[in-house]
Amino acid sequence: MKIICIGRNYTKHIEELHSERPNEPVIFMKPDSAVLLKQHPFVIPEFSEDIHHEIELIVKINKVGKYIEPKFAHKYYDEISVGIDFTARDLQQKLKDKGLPWEKAKAFDGSAVVGDFLSKSHFNSVENLTFELTNNSKTIQKGNTSLMLWKVDEIIAYVSEYFTLKIGDIIFTGTPEGVAAVKPNDVLEGFLEGHKLFRIQVK
Ligand code: MG
């Protein structure tokens, strides 16, 4: 199983990080060892002083695919959820400044929170879903998939030009604005259209 992540997919998030608006999707990956085990706390790693939360819509691939056309992409996933792409922002900035790959800042153990999946048939459209991250019951990040620069089906098509998608692969589709540091004792909960899909304690 692999995790493919899209960066810079929401305009206001691009602006808050003063990043360049991309002409095509920004892709990076996390290994399966990045998945935070169910019921486990997220332990802030020692190599970073600035671990940011990034709540994202995630989709699970249900069929092997390569060179998928956008009009057929909807057939390659049935289940969706929300997750967190934890990012060591201080380390990522150092790597970006040197033009180096981001993996140490993005793909470390526990950096991928994967919520419980729901059938996409529960919802009218994947392209108009509100999702939210709370900390101790207070909203800290909120987005809507209608604001994505690249829609889920376009992402699947684009990614599959480079990487064969396999059953169980997960795609993180990018974070909206509002990323910020987490700290010990935070309790992070992720919601998709009001359904609570994960609860994580930070240590
Ligand atoms: Mg992200």
Side-chain angles (χ1 to χ4, degrees), residues 45-104:
E46 289 186 1
F47 54 75
S48 177
E49 303 292 319
D50 196 25
I51 298 284
H52 278 196
H53 54 74
E54 296 190 356
I55 180 92
E56 310 196 3
L57 179 85
I58 64 176
V59 306
K60 192 195 279 181
I61 298 299
N62 64 1
K63 187 152 84 155
V64 175
K66 176 79 178 163
Y67 295 119
I68 299 164
E69 288 183 54
K71 66 180 175 189
F72 297 128
H74 66 98
K75 298 178 180 222
Y76 288 81
Y77 69 104
D78 285 324
E79 293 184 302
I80 61 177
S81 185
V82 286
I84 299 178
D85 165 21
F86 275 122
T87 303
R89 194 71 70 199
D90 44 0
L91 183 52
Q92 186 196 27
Q93 192 57 52
K94 281 184 198 162
L95 296 167
K96 276 184 181 175
D97 290 346
K98 291 181 180 167
L100 293 171
W102 297 355
E103 273 81 356
K104 287 196 292 182

Side-chain angles (χ1 to χ4, degrees), residues 3-10 13 17 26 28 30 52-59 80-87 89 92 102 106 111-117 129-133 141-145 148 152 155 170-177 179 189-192 197-198:
I3 300 170
I4 299 157
C5 304
I6 304 300
R8 303 182 191 175
N9 202 22
Y10 289 85
H13 173 63
L17 290 189
V26 173
F28 61 93
K30 298 181 191 254
H52 278 196
H53 54 74
E54 296 190 356
I55 180 92
E56 310 196 3
L57 179 85
I58 64 176
V59 306
I80 61 177
S81 185
V82 286
I84 299 178
D85 165 21
F86 275 122
T87 303
R89 194 71 70 199
Q92 186 196 27
W102 297 355
K106 283 282 200 182
S111 63
V113 173
V114 175
D116 297 331
F117 282 90
L129 294 173
T130 298
F131 56 101
E132 190 175 355
L133 183 67
Q141 230 191 326
K142 193 171 187 173
N144 188 287
T145 57
M148 287 181 175
V152 172
I155 291 169
I170 294 172
I171 302 179
F172 278 63
T173 60
T175 195
E177 74 277 14
V179 301
E189 294 181 314
F191 296 84
L192 177 60
L197 300 181
F198 67 75

